[in-house]
Amino acid sequence: MKYTFKDKSYTISRYPKTEQISLRAWNSADEHILKYLEEEEIKLKNIAICNDRFGFLSVLLAEYKPKTILNFRSQEKSIYINLQLNDLDTESVIKTSPLDSIKPYCDLALIKIPKSLDLFRLQMEQLYSASKKDTKIVCAFMTKYFSYQMLDICNEYFELCKQSKAWKKSRLIVLKNKKKRKKSKIKHEITFSNSKKFTQYYGVFSAKKIDYASQFFIQNMVVTLSDNKILDLGSGNGVLTYEAQRQKPDAIVYLVDDSFLAIESSKMNVDPKRSFFYYQDDLSQFEDNSFDLVLSNPPFHFEHETNIDISINLFREVKRCLKKGGSFQLVSSNHLNLKTQLYDFFHKIQIVDQNKKFTVYNCT
């Protein structure tokens, strides 16, 4: 997909690729940020960028060496791919994590407001700490996703919060003049059972409690005596690993998640002596026939998108990594009808249990 900025044409693609041709690598909220920067003649130095999922802003502003805060491994790969596509130095974008201190302080921060307002709060905490007295923060969002909570969060951190007029169904909130305030917590606890609480960073799925799909899955999960090496795919805060290790205390579990904050959260919740953590979006680091059991509550929501292409690609890799005689247990929302896609990779698909919202499958 082509985009022209400052008389230069750029090619920006999505990673991973999708079969849904209507999905682009940017939206008008991204374009609105660039429009504002040009019209206001904003000085582009010491820039921080948040929630740039496919690297659109990072690539177009690469000459200014922005610091891009990476939430996902797939995001990091996407930025790298798009820098290469446009013959740009792959080191021109400085990569940092959501938990890092940003130094030197930024003069300008650009943030696409995420779907999770808990994550937005965590990111505002990071950008507030990286701001000087005259730092300007430009927040962008599509108008249909507006919530007054966005303004409430902005007002917690900055004196001036000016909202723009709508343009191509998007708006901006421009923040200036940081308030004096105490540092906020970026972690919280959610209850799993009477005896177990999970600690996780704000913005990690699910925010208030263990999600219903995982609860239903755990009720039906079976770990056998022969399941010595287990993969937890899309591991989140580690709740499935916790249950697997409860059922089989000597099992070794490999946790894989595309989310940096999810992996960092899971490290606080499971036995580190029997767990290995992988901040990755695929299974390329594992050999064929590696696992006795694979467990997953696979992703299909990506911000405001519903997209099963990523899950289908992961199913293909699960088949490769699963030992002969091993099993792949997963839970899925009924409306996705994943059974059809699972038959592309597995010979036997058993419905273990089903309710009005979710289905638990066992694939061999």
Side-chain angles (χ1 to χ4, degrees):
M1 292 174 276
K2 299 285 187 179
Y3 189 83
T4 301
F5 178 61
K6 291 189 174 181
D7 299 322
K8 182 177 178 181
S9 179
Y10 294 85
T11 300
I12 308 292
S13 66
R14 290 175 64 107
Y15 170 86
K17 293 181 178 180
T18 178
E19 297 297 323
Q20 299 184 45
I21 59 175
S22 62
L23 297 178
R24 298 194 306 166
W26 70 89
N27 62 22
S28 58
D30 294 287
E31 296 177 18
H32 202 159
I33 289 175
L34 296 178
K35 177 176 179 286
Y36 173 81
L37 296 180
E38 287 194 297
E39 289 181 351
E40 297 295 319
E41 298 181 348
I42 303 297
K43 192 172 183 179
L44 300 176
K45 67 172 186 175
N46 295 329
I47 305 170
I49 301 176
C50 262
N51 302 322
D52 189 24
R53 185 64 190 261
F54 302 107
F56 176 79
L57 295 173
S58 300
V59 169
L60 271 61
L61 299 174
E63 65 178 289
Y64 306 103
K65 298 191 178 298
K67 294 182 179 69
T68 297
I69 299 161
L70 299 172
N71 300 326
F72 304 99
R73 179 66 77 189
S74 58
Q75 178 189 8
E76 182 176 358
K77 291 181 179 180
S78 190
I79 291 171
Y80 183 86
I81 289 167
N82 282 312
L83 287 169
Q84 285 191 317
L85 272 177
N86 293 280
D87 297 320
L88 296 169
D89 182 1
T90 55
E91 301 298 319
S92 60
V93 174
I94 302 165
K95 303 170 188 68
T96 187
S97 89
L99 302 181
D100 288 339
S101 295
I102 298 176
K103 300 290 184 179
Y105 292 132
C106 56
D107 293 287
L108 174 67
L110 312 174
I111 177 169
K112 293 274 295 297
I113 297 180
K115 181 180 180 180
S116 166
L117 295 183
D118 282 338
L119 177 59
F120 183 42
R121 188 183 299 278
L122 180 145
Q123 292 169 336
M124 287 301 298
E125 187 72 26
Q126 184 183 29
L127 294 177
Y128 173 87
S129 298
S131 296
K132 302 182 293 186
K133 185 178 180 180
D134 59 346
T135 296
K136 182 175 287 188
I137 297 182
V138 183
C139 309
F141 60 94
M142 300 302 294
T143 53
K144 62 182 176 180
Y145 302 129
F146 174 74
S147 162
Y148 282 104
Q149 284 182 273
M150 295 177 181
L151 293 176
D152 291 341
I153 293 170
C154 292
N155 280 305
E156 287 181 30
Y157 291 91
F158 291 88
E159 298 282 355
L160 297 178
C161 304
K162 183 179 180 181
Q163 190 174 174
S164 74
K165 293 181 179 179
W167 178 78
K168 292 177 69 173
K169 300 182 180 179
S170 69
R171 287 183 183 269
L172 304 179
I173 307 173
V174 180
L175 313 178
K176 293 189 292 186
N177 298 353
K178 62 189 290 188
K179 291 181 176 179
K180 289 184 178 180
R181 65 186 308 279
K182 293 181 179 179
K183 192 172 184 179
S184 297
K185 293 180 180 179
I186 59 173
K187 293 184 283 189
H188 66 121
E189 288 187 341
I190 57 176
T191 301
F192 172 57
S193 64
N194 293 332
S195 59
K196 175 65 178 176
K197 289 186 177 180
F198 279 71
T199 301
Q200 64 184 42
Y201 288 101
Y202 284 112
V204 173
F205 182 78
S206 127
K208 308 299 181 185
K209 58 185 177 297
I210 301 300
D211 64 285
Y212 290 121
S214 292
Q215 291 182 42
F216 185 56
F217 189 16
I218 287 167
Q219 293 168 13
N220 292 280
M221 183 191 300
V222 177
V223 183
T224 68
L225 291 176
S226 61
D227 292 329
N228 298 308
K229 191 174 179 182
I230 302 171
L231 171 66
D232 183 353
L233 179 59
S235 51
N237 63 14
V239 64
L240 299 185
T241 291
Y242 176 83
E243 174 61 18
Q245 291 179 332
R246 188 193 68 79
Q247 291 190 32
K248 192 173 191 302
D250 61 341
I252 302 298
V253 184
Y254 296 73
L255 295 85
V256 176
D257 205 293
D258 189 26
S259 165
F260 175 84
L261 291 173
I263 287 294
E264 293 303 306
S265 296
S266 66
K267 292 176 181 178
M268 299 184 282
N269 296 317
V270 302
D271 184 351
K273 295 179 181 178
R274 297 178 293 128
S275 308
F276 294 91
F277 305 91
Y278 292 83
Y279 169 43
Q280 281 293 349
D281 68 317
D282 60 27
L283 304 182
S284 59
Q285 64 272 31
F286 300 117
E287 296 181 354
D288 295 359
N289 308 308
S290 292
F291 297 104
D292 302 297
L293 172 65
V294 178
L295 305 170
S296 188
N297 180 0
F300 65 91
H301 278 130
F302 301 90
E303 287 297 308
H304 298 283
E305 295 178 5
T306 298
N307 186 345
I308 65 169
D309 292 343
I310 293 172
S311 292
I312 292 171
N313 289 333
L314 290 173
F315 297 161
R316 182 180 293 104
E317 293 195 76
V318 167
K319 174 63 175 176
R320 176 184 64 79
C321 293
L322 199 61
K323 290 181 180 178
K324 186 177 181 180
S327 68
F328 176 30
Q329 298 178 29
L330 71 153
V331 65
S332 172
S333 294
N334 293 339
H335 74 274
L336 297 176
N337 191 28
L338 286 186
K339 189 174 182 180
T340 302
Q341 284 77 25
L342 288 166
Y343 267 121
D344 290 338
F345 310 106
F346 298 93
H347 297 297
K348 184 178 179 182
I349 313 295
Q350 176 192 0
I351 295 179
V352 177
D353 200 359
Q354 189 173 54
N355 62 21
K356 291 181 179 179
K357 290 187 175 181
F358 307 109
T359 301
V360 176
Y361 300 98
N362 184 31
C363 310
T364 54

